[in-house]
Amino acid sequence: KYKEQLSRADKPKVDSGKRRLDPRHHDSQRSGPTERPYTKEQLDGMSKMLLDLVQKWGDRHARLRSMLEGYHKDVHAAYLAASNPSPQGSAPQPPGKNFHIVQASRPDTGLTVLNNLLVGLFDPDADYKKSSMVTIMHDYDLLSLYKKEKPNYDEIFFVVSNRGTDPSSRVNNELCEYTNVLCVEYEELQYNNQQTLHDVVNNLSNKFQSRFQYFFGPGLL
């Protein structure tokens, strides 16, 4: 009888209502990136998972899409940082220049002017719409294209032309916050003489250089 009492006393009490962690139990959960940073492979996997969720649920739930895109932006920034670490105090060094530029423009948002500028800067020997470095897309589903093409490049850069306030001629504002997305306004692409054309070219060059310096480093254009 005494042994039975001891045996019953040694058995842990089970709370049928709530689960709690035993203080002696090893906590296998991550404490955060400060103790054990995510690897590049883990971040890439999270990025793909978030893109899948955006594609599956984004069209049904606008708020959910916005949240998922925000998470993906943060994960993508962390992936870039893990892919291109630089010593403290030194300028970031670009990886191999295996990149591609995607121009996202609706026909009435300055498509032709922007394409001429981008091709002139990066692929000056190419004919209009035949550049191997600059691709034109006429919708703003940047995430789907990024997911499809990213395995082929170190990075893909999106240059988007917006116009007015109509949502059909503007990309989602949150996409413009991605580190590999540059959004320009229709008004920035207008010129009426050689001087204003020169100003347009300089403005785009400076914006491109500033926005994507994390990849190219200083002095690209």
Side-chain angles (χ1 to χ4, degrees):
K1 184 175 181 181
Y2 177 69
K3 290 182 178 179
E4 291 176 355
Q5 291 175 342
L6 286 177
S7 177
R8 287 195 298 268
D10 288 339
K11 291 182 180 179
K13 296 180 180 180
V14 178
D15 184 349
S16 59
K18 297 180 180 180
R19 291 186 61 195
R20 67 180 181 87
L21 286 176
D22 186 328
R24 295 169 295 177
H25 177 72
H26 173 67
D27 183 4
S28 61
Q29 292 182 324
R30 300 180 67 97
S31 297
T34 55
E35 295 186 7
R36 193 174 62 185
Y38 290 110
T39 66
K40 183 173 65 172
E41 291 72 22
Q42 289 172 325
L43 291 166
D44 186 48
M46 285 188 281
S47 176
K48 292 176 180 177
M49 178 193 69
L50 287 167
L51 286 176
D52 285 336
L53 291 173
V54 168
Q55 289 182 321
K56 183 175 181 179
W57 300 105
D59 292 337
R60 306 183 195 181
H61 304 282
R63 187 178 177 207
L64 177 61
R65 181 185 184 99
S66 177
M67 293 172 62
L68 290 172
E69 287 177 347
Y71 293 145
H72 180 264
K73 181 187 72 173
D74 294 338
V75 170
H76 179 66
Y79 171 80
L80 291 176
S83 301
N84 309 307
S86 57
Q88 187 174 2
S90 63
Q93 297 299 314
K97 296 294 193 301
N98 180 23
F99 67 93
H100 194 72
I101 299 170
V102 175
Q103 174 191 343
S105 299
R106 294 285 170 81
D108 59 345
T109 61
L111 183 154
T112 302
V113 174
L114 180 56
N115 187 254
N116 285 337
L117 293 174
L118 291 173
V119 172
L121 289 170
F122 294 98
D123 198 6
D125 295 328
D127 295 329
Y128 175 58
K129 292 187 177 181
K130 293 184 179 180
S131 171
S132 61
M133 297 185 65
V134 181
T135 298
I136 299 177
M137 61 184 293
H138 299 294
D139 61 61
Y140 294 140
D141 191 6
L142 310 187
L143 292 176
S144 295
L145 182 64
Y146 185 84
K147 178 184 176 183
K148 177 182 177 182
E149 298 295 336
K150 177 60 173 69
N152 300 320
Y153 303 98
D154 291 320
E155 186 57 288
I156 297 176
F157 301 98
F158 293 91
V159 182
V160 182
S161 56
N162 289 320
R163 183 175 186 179
T165 57
D166 187 340
S168 66
S169 61
R170 300 191 67 83
V171 74
N172 188 309
N173 287 337
E174 292 189 359
L175 289 178
C176 292
E177 297 177 5
Y178 278 60
T179 55
N180 63 327
V181 177
L182 171 63
C183 294
V184 297
E185 295 295 326
Y186 173 79
E187 291 74 17
E188 297 179 79
L189 302 173
Q190 303 308 299
Y191 62 92
N192 53 26
N193 56 49
Q194 285 297 318
Q195 180 56 50
T196 53
L197 173 60
H198 183 73
D199 294 340
V200 167
V201 173
N202 282 342
N203 179 60
L204 181 63
S205 300
N206 292 336
K207 284 195 167 188
F208 194 100
Q209 174 68 60
S210 175
R211 187 67 171 173
F212 305 136
Q213 185 171 336
Y214 72 88
F215 183 89
F216 296 104
L220 171 67
L221 298 172

